[in-house]
Amino acid sequence: MAEEVKLFGMWGSPFSRRIEIALKLKGVSYEYIEEDLQNKSPLLLKYNPVHKKVPVLLHNGKPIAESIVILEYIEETWKTNPIWPADPYERAIARFWAKFFDDKCGLAAWNACWAEEKEKEKAMEEASECLKTLEGELKDKKFFGGDKVGMVDIVAIFIAFWLRVLQEVVGADLLTPEKFPALFKWSEELVGCPIIKENLPPRDRLIILFRARLESSK
Amino acid sequence: MAEEVLLFGVGRSPFSGRVEMALKLKGVEYKYVEEDLANKSPSLLKYNPIHKKIPVLVHNGNPIVESQVILEYIDETWPGYPLLPKDPYERAIARFWAKFIDDKCLPAIFKAFYGEEKEREQAVEELSEFLNYLENELKEKKFFGGESIGMVDIVANLIFWLEAWEEASGTELLTREKFPRLTNWTHEFVSNTIVKESLFPRDKLVAFLRNRIGGPNVSK
């Protein structure tokens, strides 16, 4: 039976783009299905009844949900171009950073940008702490994965691309070359990578999305 | 070099309990260090500078933190008893449910028992919903892992703590009527020899929780 890979995603979602990037880096062909999150398809609800979210990967009819779980599955199923470290200890470190990012950083950065005036300072501080921790982990490495883009880079790509667009729109200066030189340089390198840059959302479309949200929050 | 395995934990913590269970199932010799969370040791702070929490596993001097990250590491490092299935798809399903337990059930448990008065009712409702998902996932299996205990069962040790919380607070959530499969599962789980060794004595736990309700101090 020919292999069938489908991905239910949303063009602007960093979680959905993680999966696309991973599949493309591994040269896996897939069919992409764009979901309207205001009007979720019956298929999405069938394949992810618990969370009803994107991304969902469908491999030969079997659904997998939750982006990190999908990334683990992709690595175990398609062995070309490994994105995860080979060594169990280094893999544990990568899993730690992926979790740290998803549990703390991504949300902190997002909240800091959207925070109301009275909560802004505290939210910015929290987000800065997270970025400081990431900066410390990056040190003089080109990528979190070392010389090559790895899983943690793919997970943290929200910071490298989405955050930079968002902070411009809302007028926050969270990630700057002065405050976080290593992280800033990393963000430029990452979004400049050949396969990655072709699989990020169109910048101007993202700006429109964020601007619309900013307007409706006023 | 002789292998050195250290575990920094707290007896009453379900998270360090998980790691003990996994190490015992694999037959790994380890040295256990009980931490006083009100007075964390320099070693703990050195090995987990970011979160400063237990459990921390130190293998030949290398620290690993976060209970589920530790469980995956244990499974990959020591062969023998499998914590995760072999098949990649079944592994994905196991990881999905393990994540579900910590991402959804755990915060709901906290809010249900430690939250503000007005949040509690909604948290209990939410928790019921989440437990229903687990009930359905169990199907006719003895354990989430099938015939034997696997990673999802280990992560679901939270249910033992949930029952203790229920007793301590006089609430009834996990009843046989509403959750027959989970009730059976709990019985099988706590009867298992190895699990029994890794569980904190229930009466001590209930006494501790009775005192604590209103002031959480549990790490992840």
Side-chain angles (χ1 to χ4, degrees), chain A residues 158-207:
Chain A
F158 170 83
I159 301 278
F161 184 76
W162 279 259
L163 176 61
R164 287 186 58 179
V165 175
L166 178 57
Q167 65 182 18
E168 234 180 83
V169 169
V170 302
D173 61 349
L174 202 47
L175 176 62
T176 66
E178 296 78 31
K179 288 191 203 168
F180 305 107
L183 209 56
F184 191 85
K185 182 155 176 257
W186 163 83
S187 70
E188 308 255 274
E189 291 275 6
L190 188 62
V191 306
C193 283
I195 291 185
I196 291 181
K197 74 172 169 227
E198 287 124 35
N199 286 288
L200 291 171
R203 201 189 146 93
D204 41 5
R205 211 174 152 195
L206 204 59
I207 290 176

Side-chain angles (χ1 to χ4, degrees), chain B residues 96-168:
Chain B
F96 173 88
W97 288 108
K99 196 174 201 304
F100 176 79
I101 291 169
D102 275 354
D103 286 358
K104 295 281 183 203
C105 300
L106 177 63
I109 291 174
F110 257 66
K111 262 198 245 162
F113 291 96
Y114 290 141
E116 310 252 325
E117 205 62 60
K118 49 194 169 109
E119 284 183 325
R120 285 188 198 178
E121 204 182 308
Q122 197 203 349
V124 168
E125 250 177 67
E126 247 180 38
L127 182 55
S128 242
E129 225 183 277
F130 297 148
L131 291 175
N132 233 348
Y133 280 119
L134 292 179
E135 173 84 9
N136 292 334
E137 173 56 19
L138 207 42
K139 304 189 199 40
E140 302 311 323
K141 295 180 290 186
K142 189 171 169 189
F143 297 111
F144 289 101
E147 272 306 298
S148 43
I149 288 172
M151 189 166 100
V152 180
D153 301 280
I154 295 175
V155 171
N157 73 343
L158 276 187
I159 292 182
F160 175 81
W161 264 256
L162 173 61
E163 290 197 325
W165 259 310
E166 284 181 88
E167 195 183 317

Side-chain angles (χ1 to χ4, degrees), chain A residues 107-144:
Chain A
L107 202 57
W110 178 261
N111 286 341
C113 290
W114 294 113
E116 307 245 320
E117 211 51 60
K118 50 189 170 118
E119 290 150 353
K120 197 91 174 178
E121 201 182 318
K122 181 164 176 242
M124 287 286 285
E125 236 177 78
E126 225 182 272
S128 285
E129 272 307 308
C130 282
L131 294 187
K132 191 166 152 206
T133 306
L134 290 178
E135 174 93 1
E137 173 57 17
L138 199 49
K139 294 190 257 286
D140 358 274
K141 291 186 291 190
K142 189 172 175 191
F143 299 112
F144 287 99

Side-chain angles (χ1 to χ4, degrees), chain B residues 1-146:
Chain B
M1 176 179 99
E3 187 167 66
E4 191 199 51
V5 183
L6 289 175
L7 172 63
F8 292 81
V10 164
R12 63 175 185 273
S13 158
F15 309 104
S16 74
R18 288 171 181 178
V19 180
E20 291 209 81
M21 254 175 244
L23 291 169
K24 288 190 155 80
L25 284 165
K26 293 263 186 194
V28 176
E29 303 251 332
Y30 64 98
K31 178 172 167 222
Y32 177 77
V33 178
E34 175 80 10
E35 279 287 326
D36 174 3
L37 294 180
N39 188 19
K40 293 172 183 176
S41 73
S43 291
L44 177 64
L45 300 177
K46 164 179 134 188
Y47 288 130
N48 191 358
I50 292 176
H51 298 304
K52 305 176 177 53
K53 289 178 169 179
I54 55 93
V56 179
L57 186 77
V58 184
H59 184 207
N60 294 334
N62 293 325
I64 305 118
V65 311
E66 296 287 320
S67 65
Q68 289 201 30
V69 175
I70 298 172
L71 292 179
E72 294 252 16
Y73 177 79
I74 289 172
D75 206 31
E76 289 175 8
T77 303
W78 289 283
Y81 191 101
L83 299 178
L84 279 172
K86 272 205 167 63
D87 172 70
Y89 185 71
E90 289 180 40
R91 290 162 77 84
I93 299 302
R95 285 181 176 126
F96 173 88
W97 288 108
K99 196 174 201 304
F100 176 79
I101 291 169
D102 275 354
D103 286 358
K104 295 281 183 203
C105 300
L106 177 63
I109 291 174
F110 257 66
K111 262 198 245 162
F113 291 96
Y114 290 141
E116 310 252 325
E117 205 62 60
K118 49 194 169 109
E119 284 183 325
R120 285 188 198 178
E121 204 182 308
Q122 197 203 349
V124 168
E125 250 177 67
E126 247 180 38
L127 182 55
S128 242
E129 225 183 277
F130 297 148
L131 291 175
N132 233 348
Y133 280 119
L134 292 179
E135 173 84 9
N136 292 334
E137 173 56 19
L138 207 42
K139 304 189 199 40
E140 302 311 323
K141 295 180 290 186
K142 189 171 169 189
F143 297 111
F144 289 101

Side-chain angles (χ1 to χ4, degrees), chain A residues 65-84:
Chain A
E66 296 289 291
S67 64
I68 305 272
V69 176
I70 299 172
L71 288 174
E72 298 249 21
Y73 178 80
I74 288 173
E75 183 79 350
E76 288 175 5
T77 304
W78 293 283
K79 307 276 189 195
T80 32
N81 278 349
I83 310 174
W84 293 74

Side-chain angles (χ1 to χ4, degrees), chain B residues 12 200 203-213 218:
Chain B
R12 63 175 185 273
F200 196 67
D203 48 357
K204 269 171 96 177
L205 186 60
V206 172
F208 171 81
L209 290 172
R210 268 205 186 106
N211 268 332
R212 275 294 185 167
I213 281 176
V218 182

